[in-house]
Amino acid sequence: MQKRWLLKPKNNTAATRHLRDELGVSDVVANLLAYRKIETFEGAREFFRPSLSYLHDPFLMKDMDVAIARITQAISNKEKILVYGDYDVDGTTAVSIVYTFLHQFHTGLAYYIPDRYAEGYGISYQGIDYAHEHGYALIIALDCGIKEIEKVAYAKSKGIDFIIGDHHLPGDTIPDALAVLDPKRVDCHYPYKELSGCGIGFKIIQAFIQSNDMDMEMAYQYLDLVAVSIASDIVPITGENRLLCHFGLHKLNSNPSFGIRALIELSNNRKDFFTVNDIVFQIGPRINAAGRIEHAKDAVKLLTSKSVADALLFSEKVNLQNNERKDVDLRITEEAMALLEEDESLQQRNSTVLYKADWHKGVIGIVASRLTEKYYRPTIILTNTNGHVAGSARSVLGFDLYQALESCSDLLEQFGGHKYAAGMTMPVENVPLFQQRFEEVVTNSITPEMLTQEISIDLPIHLQDIDAKLFRLLKQFEPFGPQNEQPIFISKGVTAQGLAHVVGANHLKMTVKQEDSVPIACIAFGLSEHIDYINAGKRFDICYTIEENTWKTRKNLQLNIKAIRY
């Protein structure tokens, strides 16, 4: 698929030049800092020298004082507490850290994860009834609850107090809970707004420790799980998230919890250092698989394991669930692609909306993501569940999926999500009309540019500028992720030194040079179609990231080429 190359505007401001001179760095590094809104020496010091002392005071979050007072009271009075969370990675890690921490001080404690299929996302009436029937006086809801006005009121009518710890955008009305912890509340002045749900759980632990004059190291032992949540929930890796992720990755790589250690072993990843990408592709899917295939409480059992033996036992079950998830995911993806390939009218559309009654609800979001990646257009995958049609939607850069669904809301029973991902339900009989309406809405509002995948390029550089010093500085920009992406550079008019050759199915390996530069090794995944042009000795442009390749004991810099043009 042809991609659009979009070069960011260079930050040649006085502040950027001053920072360059003050730090003694190159224009390249100064501009990369400016893209991250870092224009002062102090800001650069915090960015390059992260410290846990830079974490914000948890009591700056609205209602945190009320929440900690109520938790302390429940422990003192021996009231039963239920820690409630969503069934994805963010929810299960949040429940795991808060449950494990509080269990040190209170035995009247349990956790509750709703069943994806029987209860659906968020707080359920079944969960509240369970709490009431078993005598729980307090529910701490994590990674959900910010829009559950009726259900919180229902719990209140049952004599149950609610503390909500959520990071999703609130509606116009805040639930009438005892405490609502959400930095995105308009009346919350917490300095950082993008914490994960597990990050909110961490702030609760931090606040409890602070209010009881305990050692803050008791909170830091959970940072590996916080890092897993940040990576898996695709929240911005900026500010406090970057701090938590930085130290969480070090914890994960040096002394992980039993559950995370077991997942690392299962991944068969023998790298020296697990990164955000390794979490996204190796650890996160295994945790998620429990809720997709059976029940997410299996993931919490793993993440709260108290011994190596327990962790190995639970990890084997989660791994089997993940293997099943991969099989189901692959089958449905192939079926969905076949439907598209067999129908030319579907191929000509600006959107993809596919329905099959027997597709597994637990993987339709993954399938929607895969089809969006391949065909690059707004995509919805629908299946039948309990007599209703449930769907999962994914969008492309710049297109507001949530707004498009609002235009079809009269055909839907319910929908929710955000600009790039959403879910919905509808009656079976509405599917054909919904497919037609959604295509009309997309066609009338999407631009041709949105239907072409974009590569955002940071800066043009010459190959001779790439050396060990630049790479060391780029490493200090890690961990990479949303809003702190690994820098992508462009170099024009390069040629291959010697012949490029194909490795694997369709990857290119070659060495390139630019004018009088030193030749540098490259890998170009999925770009073998360019081999004839390159081996004809012609010049071409490349955009790429700079990485370190390790072969046995040797390490050398290489370019990971993202696209080629000529």
Side-chain angles (χ1 to χ4, degrees):
M1 178 185 290
Q2 191 63 35
K3 298 179 180 178
R4 237 174 353 115
W5 296 28
L6 186 67
L7 185 63
K8 294 178 184 176
K10 192 173 180 181
N11 287 283
N12 192 26
T13 64
T16 305
R17 294 194 298 273
H18 179 73
L19 183 63
R20 174 200 63 193
D21 297 338
E22 198 172 11
L23 293 175
V25 296
S26 65
D27 281 338
V28 169
V29 173
N31 271 278
L32 293 176
L33 289 170
Y35 292 145
R36 289 156 175 78
K37 304 291 189 284
I38 298 167
E39 294 188 334
T40 66
F41 182 86
E42 293 303 317
R45 183 176 65 182
E46 288 192 18
F47 185 81
F48 285 129
R49 299 289 181 266
S51 167
L52 288 168
S53 65
Y54 296 147
L55 292 175
H56 300 304
D57 182 345
F59 287 101
L60 293 174
M61 196 177 296
K62 184 171 178 59
D63 284 357
M64 184 64 80
D65 53 343
V66 178
I68 297 304
R70 182 64 184 93
I71 293 169
T72 303
Q73 178 190 19
I75 292 172
S76 178
N77 294 341
K78 294 184 170 51
E79 298 175 83
K80 293 179 75 175
I81 303 173
L82 189 65
V83 183
Y84 189 113
D86 189 26
Y87 41 66
D88 68 359
V89 177
D90 196 18
T92 52
T93 52
V95 167
S96 296
I97 68 170
V98 172
Y99 171 81
T100 303
F101 175 76
L102 291 179
H103 201 266
Q104 300 172 87
F105 314 104
H106 191 47
T107 56
L109 190 73
Y111 58 81
Y112 188 97
I113 308 290
D115 184 283
R116 178 190 289 266
Y117 306 106
E119 298 172 69
Y121 168 78
I123 297 163
S124 68
Y125 288 112
Q126 295 97 312
I128 295 169
D129 288 340
Y130 174 89
H132 178 64
E133 289 162 12
H134 291 82
Y136 289 94
L138 174 64
I139 296 177
I140 303 172
L142 300 165
D143 191 36
C144 59
I146 194 61
K147 292 186 177 179
E148 303 283 20
I149 295 166
E150 293 85 1
K151 288 164 187 172
V152 169
Y154 178 72
K156 196 171 185 179
S157 73
K158 300 279 187 181
I160 300 170
D161 285 336
F162 246 101
I163 293 171
I164 292 172
D166 204 352
H167 69 128
H168 295 101
L169 195 65
D172 295 333
T173 305
I174 299 293
D176 187 23
L178 190 73
V180 179
L181 311 171
D182 188 337
K184 292 188 175 77
R185 289 180 61 167
V186 294
D187 56 348
C188 179
H189 302 299
Y190 191 75
Y192 188 70
K193 303 296 182 183
E194 302 297 337
L195 291 169
S196 65
C198 188
I200 303 290
F202 177 82
K203 300 309 288 190
I204 292 172
I205 292 171
Q206 192 184 5
F208 187 92
I209 289 170
Q210 195 170 307
S211 67
N212 288 281
D213 199 25
M214 298 173 180
D215 186 349
M216 199 55 72
E217 289 293 330
M218 295 173 69
Y220 299 157
Q221 66 179 304
Y222 303 110
L223 285 174
D224 56 341
L225 289 178
V226 178
V228 168
S229 82
I230 290 169
S232 301
D233 215 53
I234 319 179
V235 293
I237 301 188
T238 57
E240 197 164 33
N241 276 346
R242 184 170 175 270
L243 273 178
L244 293 167
C245 195
H246 172 87
F247 288 100
L249 285 172
H250 282 280
K251 173 76 165 58
L252 184 148
N253 283 282
S254 60
N255 183 30
S257 62
F258 293 127
I260 296 299
R261 187 188 303 276
L263 291 175
I264 290 172
E265 289 296 320
L266 282 171
S267 73
N268 291 318
N269 190 328
R270 301 303 174 208
K271 293 172 64 174
D272 292 339
F273 194 87
F274 252 63
T275 65
V276 166
N277 263 2
D278 297 318
I279 292 173
V280 169
F281 292 107
Q282 301 287 337
I283 294 177
R286 287 178 165 85
I287 296 173
N288 256 335
R292 294 186 188 280
I293 299 301
E294 290 187 36
H295 200 290
K297 65 185 178 185
D298 291 333
V300 179
K301 288 177 184 175
L302 169 63
L303 298 176
T304 57
S305 298
K306 296 179 182 176
S307 69
V308 174
D310 283 349
L312 289 173
L313 182 67
F314 294 131
S315 67
E316 286 173 7
K317 182 173 183 181
V318 166
N319 199 49
L320 287 172
Q321 292 165 339
N322 189 52
N323 289 337
E324 182 178 346
R325 186 273 308 168
K326 286 192 285 188
D327 290 342
V328 173
D329 161 19
L330 179 62
R331 175 180 61 79
I332 295 175
T333 299
E334 289 174 347
E335 289 180 10
M337 287 182 177
L339 288 175
L340 284 170
E341 298 301 329
E342 292 164 4
D343 190 331
E344 192 170 335
S345 66
L346 292 179
Q347 296 172 36
Q348 302 306 316
R349 293 188 169 208
N350 291 313
S351 69
T352 298
V353 184
L354 300 176
Y355 168 65
K356 198 172 179 190
D358 64 349
W359 281 342
H360 196 297
K361 184 185 175 187
V363 302
I364 56 174
I366 300 172
V367 175
S369 295
R370 293 196 195 284
L371 265 64
T372 304
E373 185 178 341
K374 180 173 175 62
Y375 300 100
Y376 208 70
R377 58 197 191 192
T379 299
I380 302 176
I381 302 298
L382 302 166
T383 187
N384 198 305
T385 177
N386 299 323
H388 296 264
V389 170
S392 193
R394 298 293 183 269
S395 192
V396 296
L397 185 65
F399 184 76
D400 194 330
L401 183 66
Y402 190 88
Q403 197 171 61
L405 290 175
E406 278 191 322
S407 299
C408 307
S409 59
D410 58 305
L411 301 174
L412 303 175
E413 293 172 329
Q414 58 183 22
F415 70 98
H418 53 78
K419 186 174 182 177
Y420 293 116
M424 77 283 313
T425 61
M426 71 186 81
V428 176
E429 59 270 19
N430 284 7
V431 170
L433 188 54
F434 175 78
Q435 289 173 310
Q436 179 185 335
R437 175 89 65 80
F438 187 76
E439 169 66 13
E440 290 171 357
V441 170
V442 172
T443 299
N444 290 333
S445 53
I446 204 163
T447 65
E449 290 78 18
M450 291 180 194
L451 291 168
T452 304
Q453 196 166 359
E454 174 186 295
I455 297 180
S456 180
I457 300 168
D458 290 85
L459 292 163
I461 63 173
H462 198 283
L463 293 184
Q464 68 186 13
D465 296 329
I466 300 171
D467 56 19
K469 180 182 178 182
L470 175 62
F471 182 70
R472 282 197 304 272
L473 282 166
L474 293 179
K475 287 284 289 180
Q476 293 180 53
F477 280 72
E478 295 179 352
F480 295 125
Q483 297 183 31
N484 186 41
E485 287 88 358
Q486 187 172 7
I488 295 179
F489 302 104
I490 180 175
S491 294
K492 297 183 177 181
V494 308
T495 56
Q497 171 127 342
L499 292 177
H501 61 280
V502 177
V503 295
N506 60 347
H507 314 312
L508 273 184
K509 276 190 79 72
M510 59 183 164
T511 301
V512 301
K513 62 179 298 185
Q514 185 182 31
E515 298 165 358
D516 297 327
S517 74
V518 174
I520 186 166
C522 306
I523 181 72
F525 292 106
L527 297 176
S528 62
E529 73 268 20
H530 298 291
I531 189 166
D532 291 339
Y533 184 94
I534 290 168
N535 285 342
K538 298 177 181 178
R539 295 182 182 274
F540 54 98
D541 301 341
I542 55 175
C543 63
Y544 55 87
T545 59
I546 303 170
E547 60 187 28
E548 192 171 56
N549 182 46
T550 302
W551 173 249
K552 296 184 179 178
T553 58
R554 288 183 57 198
K555 293 185 177 182
N556 64 284
L557 295 183
Q558 76 171 10
L559 309 183
N560 188 328
I561 296 178
K562 305 300 180 183
I564 295 169
R565 71 180 184 189
Y566 33 80

